[in-house]
Amino acid sequence: MSTLEERNKQTVTEFMEVFTSGDVDGILSRMTDDATWWVAGSIPGISGTKDKAAFKEMVSGIAGSTTSGAIRLTPLAFTAEGDRVAVETESYTELRNGRVYNNLYHFLFTVRDGKIAGVKEYLDTEHTTAVFVAP
């Protein structure tokens, strides 16, 4: 029988796989109705806390700016305790404007009843700003 931590790591792994596919409805279906997503820094339109509806808007906008319709997330290492799963992650996508987005993250997921209830996203904000916000 699997432990709570193993099940939660599997939930996060599957969430990242769907995120990588660009299936926005699939992403949202794996989140609780009251889920929140927080992004570090002060990146216009990206940083701060978003509810599920605002997160959908952000993800849809970002997906539309990429050539593949998604940002590939590759988990590198997991640490899990109780309902919390920490994941070191690398991203990659190519934007329609010719820029490449390749960032490193530390995500802290909170999992509740097999769904994502909260995310804290720590990343290289300067790289994100340079790729998505800078003229």
Side-chain angles (χ1 to χ4, degrees):
M1 174 165 258
S2 64
T3 67
L4 173 65
E5 287 81 3
E6 289 168 339
R7 290 192 304 273
N8 288 344
K9 286 194 291 189
Q10 186 60 37
T11 296
V12 170
T13 298
E14 291 170 4
F15 178 83
M16 288 189 162
E17 288 169 356
V18 173
F19 193 99
T20 295
S21 78
D23 175 4
V24 175
D25 290 335
I27 293 167
L28 297 173
S29 74
R30 287 168 171 75
M31 299 172 76
T32 63
D33 290 340
D34 63 346
T36 59
W37 192 290
W38 173 87
V39 179
S42 57
I43 309 163
I46 298 175
S47 292
T49 302
K50 294 182 173 28
D51 64 11
K52 196 171 176 179
F55 177 71
K56 175 183 182 178
E57 187 177 315
M58 181 181 74
V59 170
S60 297
I62 290 172
S65 69
T66 69
T67 59
S68 65
I71 295 176
R72 182 177 70 227
L73 296 179
T74 304
L76 305 173
F78 290 86
T79 303
E81 183 176 322
D83 64 356
R84 295 161 42 109
V85 179
V87 191
E88 293 177 76
T89 305
E90 182 174 5
S91 70
Y92 183 86
T93 195
E94 296 172 7
L95 274 63
R96 295 182 190 280
N97 65 13
R99 295 177 181 166
V100 171
Y101 184 64
N102 182 209
N103 211 336
L104 294 172
Y105 307 80
H106 184 275
F107 286 107
L108 179 61
F109 288 88
T110 302
V111 180
R112 186 172 68 231
D113 299 324
K115 290 193 172 194
I116 305 303
V119 180
K120 290 184 176 179
E121 177 181 339
Y122 301 88
L123 68 165
D124 178 347
T125 57
E126 290 186 17
H127 176 63
T128 302
T129 300
V131 173
F132 286 103
V133 180

Coordinates of all heavy atoms in Angstrom, one line a residue, residues 19 21-24 27 55-71 93-98 132:
F19 N 0.1 19.9 -17.1 CA 0.5 21.2 -17.3 C 1.4 21.3 -18.6 O 1.2 22.2 -19.4 CB 1.3 21.7 -16.1 CG 1.5 23.2 -16.1 CD1 0.7 24.0 -15.3 CD2 2.6 23.8 -16.8 CE1 0.9 25.4 -15.3 CE2 2.8 25.1 -16.8 CZ 2.0 26.0 -16.0
S21 N 1.3 19.4 -21.1 CA 0.5 19.2 -22.4 C -0.2 20.5 -22.8 O -0.7 20.5 -24.0 CB -0.6 18.1 -22.1 OG -1.7 18.6 -21.4
G22 N -0.4 21.4 -21.9 CA -1.1 22.7 -22.3 C -2.6 22.6 -22.2 O -3.3 23.5 -22.6
D23 N -3.1 21.5 -21.7 CA -4.6 21.2 -21.6 C -5.1 22.0 -20.4 O -5.1 21.6 -19.2 CB -4.9 19.8 -21.4 CG -6.3 19.4 -21.1 OD1 -7.2 20.3 -21.1 OD2 -6.6 18.2 -20.9
V24 N -5.5 23.3 -20.6 CA -5.9 24.2 -19.5 C -7.0 23.6 -18.7 O -7.0 23.6 -17.5 CB -6.3 25.6 -20.0 CG1 -6.8 26.5 -18.9 CG2 -5.0 26.2 -20.7
I27 N -5.7 20.9 -16.5 CA -4.9 21.5 -15.4 C -5.9 21.9 -14.3 O -5.7 21.5 -13.2 CB -4.1 22.7 -15.9 CG1 -3.0 22.3 -16.9 CG2 -3.5 23.4 -14.7 CD1 -2.4 23.4 -17.6
F55 N -5.8 32.2 -12.2 CA -4.8 31.3 -12.7 C -5.1 30.8 -14.1 O -4.2 30.7 -14.9 CB -4.6 30.1 -11.7 CG -3.6 29.1 -12.1 CD1 -2.3 29.4 -12.1 CD2 -4.0 27.8 -12.6 CE1 -1.3 28.4 -12.5 CE2 -3.1 26.9 -13.0 CZ -1.8 27.2 -12.9
K56 N -6.3 30.4 -14.3 CA -6.7 30.0 -15.7 C -6.4 31.1 -16.7 O -5.9 30.8 -17.8 CB -8.2 29.7 -15.7 CG -8.7 29.3 -17.1 CD -10.2 29.1 -17.1 CE -10.6 28.6 -18.5 NZ -12.1 28.3 -18.6
E57 N -6.7 32.3 -16.4 CA -6.5 33.4 -17.3 C -5.0 33.6 -17.6 O -4.5 33.8 -18.7 CB -7.0 34.7 -16.7 CG -7.0 35.9 -17.6 CD -7.6 37.1 -16.9 OE1 -8.7 37.0 -16.4 OE2 -7.0 38.2 -17.0
M58 N -4.2 33.5 -16.5 CA -2.7 33.6 -16.7 C -2.1 32.5 -17.5 O -1.4 32.7 -18.5 CB -2.0 33.6 -15.3 CG -0.5 33.8 -15.4 SD 0.4 33.8 -13.8 CE 0.3 32.0 -13.4
V59 N -2.5 31.2 -17.2 CA -2.0 30.1 -17.9 C -2.4 30.1 -19.4 O -1.6 29.8 -20.3 CB -2.4 28.7 -17.3 CG1 -2.1 27.6 -18.1 CG2 -1.8 28.6 -15.9
S60 N -3.7 30.5 -19.7 CA -4.2 30.6 -21.0 C -3.4 31.6 -21.8 O -3.0 31.4 -23.0 CB -5.6 30.9 -21.0 OG -6.4 29.9 -20.4
G61 N -3.1 32.8 -21.2 CA -2.3 33.8 -21.8 C -0.9 33.4 -22.1 O -0.4 33.7 -23.2
I62 N -0.3 32.8 -21.2 CA 1.1 32.3 -21.4 C 1.1 31.2 -22.5 O 2.0 31.3 -23.4 CB 1.7 31.8 -20.1 CG1 2.0 33.0 -19.1 CG2 3.0 31.0 -20.3 CD1 2.4 32.5 -17.7
A63 N 0.2 30.3 -22.4 CA 0.2 29.2 -23.5 C 0.0 29.8 -24.9 O 0.6 29.3 -25.8 CB -1.0 28.3 -23.2
G64 N -0.8 30.9 -25.0 CA -1.0 31.5 -26.3 C 0.3 32.2 -26.8 O 0.3 32.5 -28.0
S65 N 1.2 32.5 -26.0 CA 2.4 33.2 -26.4 C 3.5 32.2 -26.8 O 4.6 32.6 -27.2 CB 2.9 34.1 -25.3 OG 3.4 33.4 -24.2
T66 N 3.3 30.9 -26.6 CA 4.3 29.9 -26.9 C 4.1 29.2 -28.2 O 2.9 29.2 -28.7 CB 4.4 28.8 -25.8 OG1 3.2 28.0 -25.9 CG2 4.5 29.4 -24.4
T67 N 5.1 28.7 -28.8 CA 4.9 28.0 -30.1 C 4.3 26.6 -29.9 O 3.7 26.1 -30.8 CB 6.3 27.8 -30.8 OG1 7.2 27.0 -30.0 CG2 6.9 29.1 -31.2
S68 N 4.4 26.0 -28.7 CA 3.9 24.7 -28.5 C 2.6 24.7 -27.7 O 1.9 23.7 -27.5 CB 4.9 23.9 -27.6 OG 5.0 24.5 -26.3
G69 N 2.1 25.9 -27.2 CA 0.9 26.0 -26.5 C 1.1 25.6 -25.0 O 0.1 25.5 -24.3
A70 N 2.3 25.5 -24.6 CA 2.5 25.1 -23.2 C 3.9 25.3 -22.7 O 4.8 25.6 -23.6 CB 2.2 23.6 -23.0
I71 N 4.1 25.3 -21.4 CA 5.5 25.3 -20.9 C 5.8 23.9 -20.3 O 5.0 23.4 -19.5 CB 5.6 26.3 -19.7 CG1 5.4 27.7 -20.2 CG2 6.9 26.2 -19.0 CD1 5.4 28.8 -19.2
T93 N 10.2 26.3 -22.9 CA 9.3 26.6 -24.0 C 9.9 27.6 -24.9 O 10.8 28.4 -24.5 CB 7.9 27.1 -23.5 OG1 7.0 27.0 -24.6 CG2 7.9 28.5 -23.0
E94 N 9.5 27.6 -26.1 CA 9.9 28.6 -27.1 C 8.7 29.6 -27.4 O 7.6 29.1 -27.6 CB 10.4 28.0 -28.4 CG 11.6 27.1 -28.2 CD 12.0 26.3 -29.3 OE1 11.4 26.4 -30.4 OE2 12.9 25.5 -29.2
L95 N 8.9 30.9 -27.3 CA 7.9 31.8 -27.5 C 7.8 32.2 -29.0 O 8.7 32.1 -29.8 CB 8.1 33.1 -26.7 CG 7.6 33.0 -25.2 CD1 8.3 31.9 -24.5 CD2 7.7 34.3 -24.5
R96 N 6.6 32.7 -29.4 CA 6.3 33.1 -30.7 C 7.2 34.3 -31.1 O 7.5 34.6 -32.3 CB 4.8 33.5 -30.9 CG 3.9 32.4 -30.7 CD 2.5 32.8 -30.9 NE 1.5 31.8 -30.5 CZ 1.2 30.7 -31.3 NH1 1.8 30.5 -32.5 NH2 0.3 29.8 -30.8
N97 N 7.7 35.1 -30.1 CA 8.6 36.2 -30.4 C 10.0 35.8 -30.6 O 10.9 36.7 -30.7 CB 8.4 37.3 -29.3 CG 8.9 36.8 -27.9 OD1 9.6 35.8 -27.8 ND2 8.6 37.6 -26.9
G98 N 10.3 34.5 -30.5 CA 11.7 34.0 -30.8 C 12.5 33.8 -29.5 O 13.6 33.2 -29.6
F132 N 9.1 37.3 -20.8 CA 7.7 37.5 -21.0 C 7.2 39.0 -21.0 O 6.2 39.3 -21.5 CB 6.8 36.7 -19.9 CG 6.8 35.3 -20.2 CD1 7.6 34.4 -19.5 CD2 5.9 34.7 -21.2 CE1 7.5 33.0 -19.7 CE2 5.9 33.4 -21.4 CZ 6.7 32.5 -20.7

